């Protein structure tokens, strides 16, 4: 059962626990991680593409059953915000665990909105590949509540 009234102020804990199991080298841009290669970047780009689709579908499922969403135009507007790179980047401290945030913070390179968003999308794909679909749903519920707040 979704926690509509309380989720907006919490971090998505099941999601964060699942992401903590992912090695940063699997989802961060190669320039941030020692030992990463161009082939890692190609794999990460595909993971980000796939994660974007998985996250969009999860957010769509949450919106379909949300009490405050009663029109397709409102659902579309919320979906567009919830899965946008700028929104994901703005909320990255709540949805990415310390090992990943620490790697980003220690890097001499700045990750812009696009790279933070695609890092999160790659993480969605990696978590989904482990069959922890509930963790992705946890993130989707949290993003919807934040987008509607």
């Amino acid at each position: 059962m979704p926690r509509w009234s309380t989720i907006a102020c919490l971090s998505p804990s099941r999601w964060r626990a699942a992401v903590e199991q992912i090695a940063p080298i699997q989802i961060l841009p190669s320039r941030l991680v020692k030992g990463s290669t161009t082939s890692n970047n190609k794999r990460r780009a595909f993971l980000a593409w796939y994660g974007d689709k998985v996250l969009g579908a999860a957010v769509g499922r949450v919106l379909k059953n949300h009490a405050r969403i009663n029109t397709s135009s409102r659902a579309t507007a919320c979906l567009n915000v919830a899965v946008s790179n700028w929104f994901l980047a703005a909320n990255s401290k709540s949805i990415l665990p310390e090992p990943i945030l620490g790697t980003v913070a220690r890097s001499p390179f700045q990750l812009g909105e696009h790279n933070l968003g695609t890092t999160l999308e790659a993480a969605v794909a990696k978590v989904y590949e482990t069959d922890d679909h509930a963790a992705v749903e946890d993130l989707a519920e949290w993003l919807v509540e934040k987008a509607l707040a």
Side-chain angles (χ1 to χ4, degrees), residues 3-149:
R3 304 157 304 218
W4 306 123
S5 60
T6 60
I7 199 166
C9 62
L10 304 173
S11 71
S13 57
R14 182 174 181 142
W15 162 257
R16 284 178 58 101
V19 176
E20 286 176 354
Q21 305 307 310
I22 299 170
I25 196 170
Q26 295 180 313
I27 61 173
L28 287 169
S30 63
R31 68 181 183 196
L32 296 183
V33 184
K34 285 186 179 179
S36 190
T37 64
T38 303
S39 65
N40 288 42
N41 263 358
K42 289 179 182 175
R43 174 73 178 142
R44 178 185 164 273
F46 184 75
L47 281 174
W49 173 84
Y50 182 63
D52 175 68
K53 306 313 171 224
V54 169
L55 185 58
V59 168
R61 282 189 297 278
V62 170
L63 290 169
K64 177 180 153 262
N65 297 313
H66 199 287
R68 290 173 42 201
I69 301 295
N70 55 9
T71 67
S72 61
S73 61
R74 181 141 165 82
T76 299
C78 186
L79 175 83
N80 289 342
V81 169
V83 301
S84 68
N85 281 336
W86 70 263
F87 190 75
L88 297 175
N91 289 287
S92 62
K93 288 185 175 148
S94 296
I95 53 184
L96 289 174
E98 178 51 39
I100 293 170
L101 291 173
T103 301
V104 171
R106 288 186 299 276
S107 169
F109 300 101
Q110 290 292 321
L111 277 188
E113 289 175 355
H114 176 76
N115 277 324
L116 275 171
T118 56
T119 294
L120 182 71
E121 291 163 349
V124 168
K126 292 301 288 181
V127 169
Y128 195 77
E129 285 177 350
T130 68
D131 290 330
D132 194 351
H133 302 175
V136 175
E137 294 295 325
D138 182 45
L139 174 62
E141 289 175 5
W142 188 86
L143 289 170
V144 166
E145 287 305 311
K146 288 293 279 187
L148 290 172

